[in-house]
Amino acid sequence: MIRAAIITLALLTQGAMAQDAVTSGTGGVLRGLDKVNGQTVDVDIRNGETGQIFGLDVALGDCRFPVENPTGDAFAYLTIWETGKAQALFDGWMIASSPALNALDHARYDVWVIRCMTP
């Protein structure tokens, strides 16, 4: 009985350790959409820097991607606020493959992650 419990525990912990390894890129490529006129723009922002997308300021804290598949997905920590305002509209991780999972909620603009910049 104890042997079965130990084997089960070992199998469960191996599954938790089997997560994909990720690494940080040098920055990220973000896409902005102006919903009023349909204009889109792609912006490169380096980690730790702030860029402007239409009427929004976007700070990129970090952009991470899977080590085994650099083009597979991107995870970016973003802080977004309207230019000239202090309160953040968005502060958290955004995932390139699932932008609606944790999205910016703004009446006019959309921002989402496209990919990380790799060295």
Side-chain angles (χ1 to χ4, degrees):
M1 181 71 146
I2 294 175
R3 182 181 290 184
I6 292 173
I7 292 172
T8 303
L9 182 61
L11 290 174
L12 289 174
T13 57
Q14 285 179 353
M17 289 185 220
Q19 297 175 358
D20 291 336
V22 296
T23 188
S24 292
T26 57
V29 179
L30 308 177
R31 180 166 291 157
L33 168 68
D34 184 334
K35 295 185 246 184
V36 172
N37 61 23
Q39 181 182 3
T40 61
V41 63
D42 288 354
V43 177
D44 295 345
I45 302 176
R46 298 239 174 241
N47 290 346
E49 294 185 357
T50 301
Q52 190 166 19
I53 300 176
F54 300 116
L56 302 173
D57 289 332
V58 180
L60 176 64
D62 194 12
C63 192
R64 299 178 184 171
F65 60 91
V67 173
E68 298 297 322
N69 188 6
T71 60
D73 207 355
F75 309 87
Y77 190 85
L78 302 174
T79 304
I80 303 172
W81 62 96
E82 288 184 347
T83 303
K85 304 249 174 127
Q87 184 176 6
L89 299 170
F90 179 88
D91 186 37
W93 288 95
M94 198 175 282
I95 303 169
S97 63
S98 303
L101 186 64
N102 194 19
L104 169 68
D105 184 24
H106 192 274
R108 180 167 182 174
Y109 304 115
D110 273 341
V111 174
W112 62 95
V113 181
I114 301 299
R115 67 182 174 277
C116 292
M117 294 187 293
T118 56

